[in-house]
Amino acid sequence: MTGTASGIEIRSSGFAVLPASMSLMGAASGVFVDTGLSLVLPTAGTYHLDAVVRASLGRMTAGENAFIGARLVDVTAGAVVPASEAIVVQIAEYGGTAATGLEWNGSTAISVEYAVASARTIRLEAVRQDINATGSTDHAGLGSDANARTTLRYHRVA
């Protein structure tokens, strides 16, 4: 659905797909990174923001705990969108002392209502968090391919 404001066409919804899978291994544990997936909310209003985030996480050491998280950021305001934080996938392996090969995949949804006073850019950020200091993550990344996509969507409701 579209409308007009001052002769400019305004879309009431938008959708974007992460074009390819990406690694989170280049950033330090606990540091959020820009995934490159973003949308522009075209005007003031109340929006439903939805993201589906697919991730995979691998560990190669026994007794480890790590997760991949995601959040939405209002780039224009320089702030995290309230209540948009989510754990996408987590590995917690507490038994034994021998090396263990684990890799988990998962997807999660982020759904929030967000009111803005003007046009805004919203982006998806992700983080790899190693909770235990005794080891490090072997593999961590977001997926977006024919198996499942990482997506971001808005719909203006008011």
Side-chain angles (χ1 to χ4, degrees), residues 3-82:
T4 60
S6 303
I8 300 171
E9 185 174 343
I10 305 293
R11 291 184 48 88
S12 63
S13 63
F15 182 80
V17 177
L18 187 67
S21 297
M22 64 172 287
S23 175
L24 296 173
M25 296 303 294
S29 173
V31 175
F32 275 89
V33 299
D34 180 355
T35 65
L37 184 56
S38 65
L39 288 171
V40 175
L41 307 181
T43 188
T46 301
Y47 293 84
H48 287 172
L49 304 176
D50 300 293
V52 174
V53 186
R54 176 181 158 218
S56 63
L57 181 62
R59 278 262 192 211
M60 300 308 291
T61 324
E64 296 299 331
N65 188 357
F67 69 85
I68 292 175
R71 67 185 184 189
L72 300 177
V73 173
D74 181 333
V75 177
T76 309
V80 174
V81 173

Side-chain angles (χ1 to χ4, degrees), residues 105-155:
N105 289 281
S107 293
T108 197
I110 298 172
S111 296
V112 296
E113 189 170 276
Y114 191 52
V116 297
S118 62
R120 302 291 175 94
T121 298
I122 305 296
R123 78 172 170 219
L124 177 69
E125 293 185 344
V127 64
R128 169 186 54 88
Q129 180 69 56
D130 293 318
I131 298 169
N132 293 352
T134 59
S136 62
T137 305
D138 177 71
H139 164 79
L142 297 188
S144 197
D145 57 31
N147 294 313
R149 309 281 180 199
T150 293
T151 61
L152 181 58
R153 181 186 73 88
Y154 76 82
H155 181 76

